[in-house]
Amino acid sequence: MGNVIILGSQWGDEGKGKIVDLFSDRFDIVARYQGGHNAGHTVFIGEKKFVLKLIPSGILRPGKKAVIGNGLVIDPVALVSEIESLESAGVEVTANLSISNRAHVLFPAHRMLEKMSEGRPGRVSLGTTSRGIGPCYEDKIARRGIRMADLLDTAFFRAQFDSVMEEKVAIARTFGIYQEMDLGRIREEYEALAERIRPMVCDTAMLLNHAIRDGKSVLFEGAQGTMLDVDHGTYPFVTSSSAGAGGACTGTGVAPTRIQGVIGVSKAYITRVGAGPFPTEALDGAGEQIRKRGNEFGAVTGRPRRCGWFDVPLLRYTAAINGFDSIVVTKLDVLDEFDRIPVCVGYRLGSEQLAEMPATVREIEKLEPIYECVPGWSTSTFGISSYDDLPAKAKEYLAFLEERTGVEIGCISTGPERTQTIVKAGSRLEKLIG
Ligand code: IMP
């Protein structure tokens, strides 16, 4: 059994949570490699609903280990609240979760500083989740961040916290975005949270490498999606981390030579939350119909998601960046009621037809999608769990996407439940997940 990365191939919210939860059964460890509590997916345990933001969903499978890698930024308040809500529902977290000692710690001042870029006159608002993710990664790259290992070193933490926060307060005052905060109280709160987290913090890179050496398998779970990757996405309308497959190595300390496959997750259509270019956005009634049928509202912020049609050139681009072996197409049933389904098969920029994704938002905003319409199936696919039971026209739609993107569709999701899934027999995906 190999080690596999599962990640989003669009702008996030592709339904990775369900897929990771489903496949985590086949792996020993599930490891998150980037992002923070800007991510979120909803999981039901019996009647109880949880929104997991930092903890990999593998934690819900008894006996499986979950890892929060060094590539994440962690708000200890959010983390401990997530741990406590899971433990109060009977999920064993403390014994099964390991947190990297090299992950960065997010503070309330990071949220305050996010107002520098969001909503200040003269700055382009990115429509972030306002969780302080970007400013925390800024500190990491500027080499003044506080890491988990520093938080646990109490004497060092006190001195470091005071000096870093003094700077943040000065910046916030200068730019007129300062919000009164009791830094002494925050420091004490973080010291108390550190004690709660301490038993779980370790060198997760060594933990993962030793586990792999001993024959254990790891599922690497990406958050957000490739088009939000800080290098490869629609910059600057991106998140601040490496959401693509490369991030799995830098964000966990596991080498590319130890990873056997990459699986992308894509909706049967496409959505985006927050600002930024979106060539196939459906601004008419069809977009609204998708939003309603797909319940397309953010799990973390509750914001309505922008909806549109499947974008073949975009998928070809993210397949190249990530080296997808196979993709999972989710939410096929959301398209059940459309007579004709437009699919973007190319882009035009002025008089040119483009083969590649342009680098700048200025160009992406000017792209004109070239659509081909595929007949709809006008019957319910909800809950179908066998490929043979799909309506012929739904199979044709999937075959069309497969042929145009050049990527295998190894799995199809037709509803939120684990059972509402088709894994195609003989596919590369089936071989990868064992
Ligand atoms: P940030 O990650 O909060 O800095 O937000 C940057 C951009 O990424 C915004 O457009 C957010 O809406 C988007 N974003 C962040 N996390 C997610 C996610 O989990 N799903 C979808 N979009 C996200």
Side-chain angles (χ1 to χ4, degrees):
M1 180 81 186
N3 305 308
V4 173
I5 304 170
I6 296 192
L7 80 164
S9 65
Q10 299 168 328
W11 278 289
D13 308 316
E14 297 91 349
K16 298 176 292 291
K18 169 189 157 169
I19 302 304
V20 170
D21 169 61
L22 182 70
F23 296 164
S24 59
D25 192 27
R26 327 273 181 108
F27 294 80
D28 298 300
I29 304 175
V30 181
R32 259 281 296 273
Y33 59 84
Q34 43 70 236
H37 66 311
N38 48 351
H41 61 261
T42 310
V43 180
F44 288 90
I45 309 173
E47 296 289 284
K48 275 200 149 187
K49 176 180 160 184
F50 298 93
V51 179
L52 294 179
K53 294 176 188 162
L54 282 160
I55 302 178
S57 57
I59 202 77
L60 303 175
R61 299 265 189 187
K64 304 290 173 186
K65 299 284 178 201
V67 167
I68 293 182
N70 56 276
L72 277 89
V73 291
I74 301 174
D75 178 342
V77 177
L79 177 64
V80 168
S81 120
E82 208 170 309
I83 294 172
E84 283 174 357
S85 80
L86 286 168
E87 290 198 330
S88 70
V91 179
E92 177 55 74
V93 180
T94 311
N96 291 325
L97 177 66
S98 299
I99 302 163
S100 171
N101 52 9
R102 290 169 172 82
H104 280 249
V105 182
L106 192 150
F107 295 94
H110 289 126
R111 271 193 296 282
M112 175 175 72
L113 288 184
E114 193 146 18
K115 297 200 170 64
M116 292 267 294
S117 52
E118 295 291 291
R120 236 166 51 85
R123 293 291 293 263
V124 177
S125 172
L126 305 179
T128 70
T129 60
S130 307
R131 299 291 186 272
I133 305 294
C136 187
Y137 277 112
E138 279 177 43
D139 277 356
K140 170 179 175 171
I141 301 302
R143 295 156 296 174
R144 58 172 175 250
I146 295 178
R147 305 195 292 176
M148 273 293 161
D150 305 320
L151 177 67
L152 299 187
D153 182 347
T154 311
F156 177 84
F157 172 65
R158 280 186 191 158
Q160 181 83 347
F161 177 85
D162 289 347
S163 106
V164 171
M165 292 309 145
E166 194 187 317
E167 236 179 77
K168 306 229 171 295
V169 168
I171 295 170
R173 285 193 198 284
T174 307
F175 285 91
I177 52 168
Y178 180 68
Q179 287 166 318
E180 204 54 47
M181 52 177 77
D182 183 344
L183 290 176
R185 193 194 51 74
I186 293 172
R187 197 184 58 204
E188 280 170 20
E189 184 191 4
Y190 272 60
E191 284 170 7
L193 291 166
E195 294 317 309
R196 175 72 179 87
I197 296 169
R198 189 183 291 278
M200 291 167 268
V201 178
C202 66
D203 185 336
T204 51
M206 288 305 113
L207 180 148
L208 289 169
N209 280 292
H210 291 159
I212 291 169
R213 182 198 59 197
D214 296 341
K216 300 258 192 308
S217 56
V218 183
L219 179 59
F220 297 89
E221 173 183 354
Q224 288 88 43
T226 311
M227 295 308 288
L228 289 172
D229 181 288
V230 68
D231 284 277
H232 302 291
T234 43
Y235 190 91
F237 296 93
V238 291
T239 191
S240 302
S241 62
S242 299
C249 296
T250 53
T252 61
V254 175
T257 49
R258 301 286 177 271
I259 298 174
Q260 283 71 38
V262 184
I263 297 172
V265 184
S266 164
K267 278 178 183 154
Y269 47 96
I270 195 162
T271 63
R272 168 163 209 167
V273 36
F278 180 176
T280 63
E281 182 167 16
L283 294 166
D284 54 4
E288 188 54 39
Q289 206 179 335
I290 295 175
R291 187 174 308 114
K292 268 206 194 116
R293 279 192 59 83
N295 192 25
E296 294 294 356
F297 297 89
V300 171
T301 58
R303 290 180 290 179
R305 296 179 184 141
R306 299 157 63 193
C307 300
W309 303 114
F310 193 95
D311 186 333
V312 167
L314 180 141
L315 199 289
R316 279 206 298 257
Y317 172 72
T318 59
I321 297 295
N322 296 306
F324 290 147
D325 292 290
S326 187
I327 59 168
V328 179
V329 169
T330 60
K331 299 186 104 168
L332 182 69
D333 55 294
V334 172
L335 299 182
D336 283 352
E337 287 177 359
F338 289 93
D339 297 337
R340 293 159 75 244
I341 306 169
V343 176
C344 168
V345 294
Y347 300 135
R348 215 172 277 119
L349 182 61
S351 56
E352 264 182 89
Q353 194 155 325
L354 293 194
E356 312 290 343
M357 178 68 68
T360 71
V361 160
R362 272 104 49 214
E363 292 163 295
I364 300 175
E365 270 166 356
K366 286 195 203 122
L367 292 179
E368 278 176 60
I370 303 167
Y371 287 109
E372 278 187 33
C373 279
V374 180
W377 40 93
S378 304
T379 171
S380 174
T381 59
F382 183 73
I384 291 181
S385 56
S386 150
Y387 185 75
D388 292 340
D389 293 344
L390 285 176
K393 288 204 165 72
K395 287 183 194 159
E396 280 165 29
Y397 179 68
L398 295 167
F400 182 83
L401 301 187
E402 211 168 35
E403 193 245 313
R404 294 303 176 98
T405 59
V407 186
E408 169 195 277
I409 297 175
C411 175
I412 301 129
S413 170
T414 56
E417 301 290 330
R418 286 175 181 166
T419 52
Q420 295 168 329
T421 316
I422 302 165
V423 173
K424 268 174 99 181
S427 62
R428 291 174 79 179
L429 182 141
E430 190 191 43
K431 291 193 189 87
L432 277 175
I433 61 166

